[in-house]
Amino acid sequence: YTVTYKYVRLYEFALKHIGSSFYVGPGYQLDHHWGIEELGVQPGRVTDFQTYGFSHRSTSSGLAIDVLYDSRKNSINPEGGAAYANVEFLQNSVVLGSSGNWNSILIDFRKYVKVARSSVLAFWFYSVLTLSGNPPYLDLPGSGSDTYNNTGRGYEQGRFIGKRYVDLESEFRFPITRNGLLGGVVFCNAGSVSELSNNRFEVIYPGFGIGLRIKFNKFSNTNACLDY
């Protein structure tokens, strides 16, 4: 069934360069949903949203501490040898307008390995773990819940959600034409969320596919992407 809502998101961080490719600093995160409605629910059916605690509006508002390592020269299309690691602790509080007190930790690690002259094997580990409290239902981590909704390719955003989320992905990127206009990728991924009933990981959902990359801007190395 479908859940509709209006949504405002504001994330702001102030990171200080502390040496080499390391950064650290505080941040603030706001996720506000209102006008929440469930559509297409059969009469008499009790949804997971209702069991968890349905509300027509919810707010997550909290302070964060962020530690970042980023050796990528181009964050849009990293080259082989680069790496990215981000660990963020978030504390949401009713004092800041949050619907409840809860905290979580985010772990985001990416590694790019040069395979051939112009080919790259990329790995991505992404996880959000609720440490204590109960996040609003629409703020629970899950498929497509990262900043740009990229995790869990093959599954729509919010298809799987839970208090704890783990996702591992890999992608092989290679050129098709010598001038770099066309490129291709082969990817696979596997993710899992903890069950809302017992907070245990019980099911793994896999995904795999192929993609075409069309060079959109050769200076920024930006591609238009088509994935199946």
Side-chain angles (χ1 to χ4, degrees), residues 101-119:
N101 295 319
W102 62 276
N103 54 38
S104 64
I105 187 169
L106 178 149
I107 303 170
D108 186 342
F109 176 74
R110 312 173 197 184
K111 178 63 178 177
Y112 308 89
V113 180
K114 186 175 182 180
V115 178
R117 182 176 180 181
S118 301
S119 299

Side-chain angles (χ1 to χ4, degrees):
Y1 69 101
T2 301
V3 177
T4 65
Y5 52 82
K6 296 179 176 64
Y7 180 34
V8 169
R9 178 177 67 183
L10 172 65
Y11 289 10
E12 189 67 38
F13 287 84
L15 302 182
K16 179 177 176 56
H17 185 213
I18 60 174
S20 185
S21 300
F22 284 96
Y23 303 81
V24 64
Y28 171 75
Q29 293 188 187
L30 171 69
D31 294 276
H32 178 61
H33 296 82
W34 74 99
I36 304 172
E37 298 290 344
E38 294 181 302
L39 305 179
V41 180
Q42 298 176 349
R45 177 185 176 185
V46 179
T47 66
D48 285 341
F49 199 164
Q50 295 169 12
T51 301
Y52 187 79
F54 179 83
S55 175
H56 291 287
R57 64 190 303 119
S58 66
T59 302
S60 292
S61 177
L63 299 177
I65 294 294
D66 193 271
V67 179
L68 173 67
Y69 173 85
D70 192 355
S71 65
R72 302 172 300 174
K73 295 181 179 180
N74 185 345
S75 61
I76 297 175
N77 199 342
E79 299 178 349
Y84 172 95
N86 185 29
V87 177
E88 173 195 314
F89 174 78
L90 173 65
Q91 177 64 61
N92 290 274
S93 173
V94 294
V95 176
L96 298 175
S98 185
S99 300
N101 295 319
W102 62 276
N103 54 38
S104 64
I105 187 169
L106 178 149
I107 303 170
D108 186 342
F109 176 74
R110 312 173 197 184
K111 178 63 178 177
Y112 308 89
V113 180
K114 186 175 182 180
V115 178
R117 182 176 180 181
S118 301
S119 299
V120 173
L121 183 60
F123 298 95
W124 185 18
F125 174 81
Y126 182 86
S127 177
V128 178
L129 307 173
T130 302
L131 302 178
S132 66
N134 297 306
Y137 189 79
L138 294 179
D139 293 331
L140 288 168
S143 56
S145 62
D146 59 300
T147 303
Y148 300 108
N149 313 120
N150 288 326
T151 57
R153 271 187 291 184
Y155 300 93
E156 61 190 16
Q157 181 183 355
R159 175 63 182 87
F160 299 101
I161 59 173
K163 285 189 175 183
R164 298 186 295 167
Y165 174 55
V166 175
D167 183 66
L168 179 62
E169 310 200 6
S170 64
E171 180 176 275
F172 178 61
R173 305 167 181 172
F174 56 91
I176 296 178
T177 60
R178 290 186 177 182
N179 62 3
L181 177 62
L182 296 179
V185 302
V186 178
F187 64 87
C188 62
N189 51 270
S192 182
V193 297
S194 61
E195 300 295 320
L196 291 177
S197 58
N198 55 29
N199 208 32
R200 293 200 302 260
F201 292 104
E202 295 182 353
V203 179
I204 297 175
Y205 50 91
F208 59 91
I210 59 176
L212 179 68
R213 299 294 180 262
I214 305 171
K215 190 68 67 181
F216 185 76
N217 187 312
K218 65 180 181 180
F219 297 103
S220 63
N221 210 19
T222 304
N223 292 321
C225 306
L226 294 172
D227 288 346
Y228 174 78

